[in-house]
Amino acid sequence: MTLSELTKLAMMHKIAKHPMIPLHALPPVRPFSDKKSNELTRAIVEFIRLTGHYADRINNTGIYDSKTGRWRKGGTRKGISDIIANKMIEHDGRKFSIMVAIEVKVGRDKMSDHQLKVQAEVQNSGGVYIIAKTWEQFFEEWQKIS
């Protein structure tokens, strides 16, 4: 699936979700891209959700406290992946859920020591860890999970 196909899928989902709204009145879906980390993250989360799986974006930035004028640490663990997902698969007539952690790295961005530690923990516990650098590379790795 290409990013333009994902955009079409999202629009078809929007049309199905709002059948009483005429097509000309529905705002178009913003096209998906993988040029920046936020754009690739948005595309991945939407793809996973639109194809019937679970995904959540994890916000691990600090919080600005306007009362004190200082930044506070976020409530998540250092190194947590950008996206946490579950992929449902079927094997021998039974359904299984596989935990997938996805770290988005666009351009020259590199994994930190904390992220490498979380990657090892996810993989050692039977989960799948994907480092998504482009849409095509992510999609290929997602398709391999079975």
Side-chain angles (χ1 to χ4, degrees):
M1 175 177 285
T2 65
L3 287 170
S4 62
E5 291 170 332
L6 177 59
T7 303
K8 289 176 189 173
L9 177 65
M11 190 63 195
M12 290 185 336
H13 184 264
K14 183 184 263 191
I15 291 167
K17 186 176 178 182
H18 305 287
M20 302 303 288
I21 299 176
L23 284 179
H24 70 275
L26 272 177
V29 172
R30 194 178 67 195
F32 292 100
S33 169
D34 65 354
K35 301 296 182 222
K36 296 178 181 174
S37 292
N38 281 336
E39 294 171 353
L40 179 55
T41 302
R42 176 180 160 258
I44 291 170
V45 169
E46 282 302 306
F47 164 75
I48 293 171
R49 289 177 179 169
L50 288 171
T51 54
H53 306 281
Y54 169 82
D56 253 331
R57 181 178 187 157
I58 306 300
N59 183 359
N60 53 10
T61 59
I63 301 162
Y64 181 73
D65 187 340
S66 59
K67 291 180 182 177
T68 64
R70 290 194 233 165
W71 284 88
R72 291 187 279 135
K73 281 183 7 176
T76 58
R77 177 179 167 193
K78 279 189 178 183
I80 192 80
S81 60
D82 295 314
I83 302 167
I84 299 293
N86 279 335
K87 183 173 185 180
M88 291 297 296
I89 62 167
E90 196 167 325
H91 182 70
D92 291 336
R94 296 178 64 199
K95 289 185 178 183
F96 296 91
S97 176
I98 297 177
M99 186 270 196
V100 184
I102 305 161
E103 182 63 36
V104 177
K105 296 289 181 193
V106 173
R108 294 185 290 183
D109 202 5
K110 295 179 184 173
M111 297 277 284
S112 71
D113 290 339
H114 294 289
Q115 290 169 330
L116 291 169
K117 183 179 178 190
V118 169
Q119 177 184 15
E121 289 178 21
V122 168
Q123 291 171 329
N124 290 338
S125 68
V128 175
Y129 197 94
I130 296 174
I131 302 169
K133 297 180 180 193
T134 66
W135 169 256
E136 292 80 12
Q137 175 259 330
F138 159 76
F139 185 73
E140 186 177 303
E141 289 191 42
W142 180 262
Q143 294 301 98
K144 290 179 189 175
I145 301 170
S146 59

